[in-house]
Amino acid sequence: MAAALAIVEVEGADALSMRRLASDLGVTTTSIYWHVGNREQLVVAVVELHAERQARASVTGRTPRERVHSSAVNIWRSARAHRNVTALASSIGATTLLELPLEVAVLAELEAAGVRGAAARDALQAFLGCIAGFLVTAWRPPGERPDGLRPEQVWGRVSDPRVPRATIRAVARPADLDRLAERTLRAVVDGFVPEAARGGTR
Amino acid sequence: MAAALAIVEVEGADALSMRRLASDLGVTTTSIYWHVGNREQLVVAVVELHAERQARASVTGRTPRERVHSSAVNIWRSARAHRNVTALASSIGATTLLELPLEVAVLAELEAAGVRGAAARDALQAFLGCIAGFLVTAWRPPGERPDGLRPEQVWGRVSDPRVPRATIRAVARPADLDRLAERTLRAVVDGFVPEAARGGTR
DNA sequence: ACCTGAACACCGTTCAAGT
DNA sequence: ACCTGAACACCGTTCAAGT
């Protein structure tokens, strides 16, 4: 698992193949199968190993809303810091597994903010959806985009009488994804967590 | 391109291989290369064909905010309705290309709401991030999740003194993603589009 | 201009056989 | 219990050769 995780962290999720891992371990491909079953189970085990290794992040903020936001931003930062592992997890639909302790922390802050049950589930899913989305857009560094798909090329062909050219030009330039992700999470938190009744400190 | 799009729509993004497409066309794999260059360029062309075929969706709502929300929901619904093509586009980072006309419609409504330039760019990116994220979670139907990754299994192992068990149980159950996506978009729109100064009708 | 056949360097997976 | 070798059925891509 450690060898597999190392491959992913250094060379990306696609670099993790059964043959590659076997050769790193000085062993035959078929030996891997005896130990882990198949590639999907290997990935699950790698993601679980990574989750164990993650330090718990601390939550800041005075109001319940601020603390919910802070705990959600922790997930974003952790996922972004280990984007290769996040990409691996998302390729088999295991993002939930990757950030489980941080997700529990969000649920704890939601509880403190008076959001529980299905409402807490919805809020958490909304946070996770936004985070996953920003990673999908942030994953692909500008340089490695395929030909003809760089934003300035795509948007350079667009013109619409309802949209000023200054806006089109702005869309073609890259946004500050970190700031934008945290601001978006702020908006979603505000939409799903009621304002503190008495602005209680904690 | 039509043959390739048909494969994707019926059998999913992974089913589109150069060899499979060639055999569908009764031709050799290498012929494809003469026409499209490589797989990435093939995918770009397929996505562009799909975008051309999409009907323009209409925007509803009385206030500028409502119209922005409506135009963003159009993107969500279109992406979700053609999830196989969306998965294909996102696999090469071409989601922008897929929904370009609908994105321009969002920019037009943002302009009408007084949001332009970099602020419009940020708002559009926030919408697209949320939509992409919900698709990443919605793509994988419950049945095709790998063993040990079904929500009730993952969350069944979780227990935390700060989180009531009713909340854990709720998280293990699937959410109504359609409703949740539209509600999340509502929250993001509210965060990025100022309330109408005089509640003007349009 | 358009298509083919053969080849290269990869994949995940299975299965009988070894120790 | 653990590992190997050979094989099957796939990939994307290149390149010389055909018409």
Side-chain angles (χ1 to χ4, degrees):
Chain A
M1 299 314 140
L5 188 52
I7 294 173
V8 171
E9 274 174 336
V10 175
E11 295 171 55
D14 289 345
L16 178 63
S17 76
M18 307 302 268
R19 282 173 162 87
R20 167 64 196 280
L21 175 60
S23 103
D24 277 19
L25 293 169
V27 100
T28 318
T29 307
T30 39
S31 306
I32 312 281
Y33 281 86
W34 193 89
H35 286 279
V36 300
N38 60 28
R39 184 172 191 274
E40 196 164 68
Q41 289 168 261
L42 170 67
V43 170
V44 169
V46 168
V47 169
E48 279 171 337
L49 173 62
H50 173 81
E52 277 170 31
R53 288 187 179 175
Q54 283 311 105
R56 309 289 171 267
S58 67
V59 174
T60 64
R62 287 174 3 268
T63 68
R65 250 192 185 178
E66 277 174 18
R67 294 180 61 83
V68 171
H69 179 248
S70 163
S71 65
V73 166
N74 280 343
I75 298 184
W76 157 253
R77 290 193 181 143
S78 170
R80 182 161 165 77
H82 304 95
R83 60 179 78 187
N84 283 349
V85 187
T86 309
L88 181 73
S90 110
S91 74
I92 63 154
T95 28
T96 293
L97 215 57
L98 184 67
E99 311 284 356
L100 202 53
L102 296 178
E103 290 171 33
V104 174
V106 168
L107 289 177
E109 296 304 331
L110 283 168
E111 172 68 21
V115 180
R116 56 181 62 89
R121 188 258 327 267
D122 288 354
L124 177 62
Q125 285 240 351
F127 303 159
L128 293 178
C130 292
I131 288 164
F134 275 97
L135 277 173
V136 167
T137 50
W139 273 340
R140 207 165 294 266
E144 85 181 42
R145 269 179 211 279
D147 276 355
L149 287 187
R150 290 198 303 281
E152 68 270 23
Q153 293 173 306
V154 171
W155 289 97
R157 297 198 294 264
V158 170
S159 108
D160 188 291
R162 301 165 297 171
V163 183
R165 287 189 45 74
T167 295
I168 299 286
R169 277 197 306 273
V171 173
R173 284 194 302 272
D176 178 345
L177 277 171
D178 281 299
R179 259 194 64 255
L180 190 53
E182 298 191 14
R183 194 181 155 198
T184 305
L185 280 175
R186 164 74 62 198
V188 177
V189 168
D190 288 352
F192 281 82
V193 178
E195 220 166 341
R198 286 167 300 208
T201 310
R202 210 187 126 184
Chain B
M1 298 312 139
L5 188 51
I7 292 173
V8 171
E9 274 173 337
V10 176
E11 296 171 55
D14 289 345
L16 178 62
S17 75
M18 306 302 269
R19 282 173 161 87
R20 167 65 197 280
L21 176 59
S23 104
D24 276 19
L25 293 169
V27 99
T28 317
T29 308
T30 40
S31 307
I32 312 281
Y33 282 87
W34 194 90
H35 285 280
V36 300
N38 59 29
R39 186 175 191 273
E40 195 164 70
Q41 290 168 262
L42 170 68
V43 171
V44 169
V46 168
V47 170
E48 280 171 338
L49 173 62
H50 173 81
E52 278 171 30
R53 287 187 179 175
Q54 284 310 105
R56 309 290 171 268
S58 67
V59 174
T60 63
R62 286 173 6 269
T63 68
R65 251 191 183 180
E66 278 175 16
R67 294 180 62 84
V68 170
H69 179 249
S70 162
S71 64
V73 167
N74 280 343
I75 297 184
W76 157 254
R77 290 193 181 143
S78 170
R80 182 158 164 79
H82 303 95
R83 58 179 78 188
N84 283 350
V85 187
T86 307
L88 181 72
S90 109
S91 74
I92 62 155
T95 27
T96 293
L97 215 58
L98 185 67
E99 311 285 356
L100 203 52
L102 296 178
E103 291 171 34
V104 173
V106 168
L107 289 177
E109 296 304 332
L110 283 168
E111 171 68 21
V115 180
R116 57 180 63 90
R121 189 256 329 267
D122 287 353
L124 176 60
Q125 286 240 349
F127 302 159
L128 294 177
C130 294
I131 290 164
F134 276 97
L135 278 173
V136 167
T137 50
W139 273 341
R140 205 166 295 269
E144 86 180 44
R145 269 181 212 276
D147 274 355
L149 287 186
R150 289 198 304 280
E152 67 272 21
Q153 293 172 306
V154 172
W155 289 97
R157 297 197 295 263
V158 171
S159 107
D160 188 291
R162 301 167 297 172
V163 182
R165 287 190 44 76
T167 296
I168 300 285
R169 277 198 305 273
V171 173
R173 284 194 303 272
D176 178 347
L177 278 170
D178 281 299
R179 258 194 66 256
L180 191 53
E182 298 191 14
R183 192 179 156 200
T184 306
L185 280 174
R186 164 73 64 198
V188 177
V189 168
D190 287 352
F192 281 82
V193 178
E195 221 168 340
R198 287 167 300 207
T201 311
R202 211 186 125 188

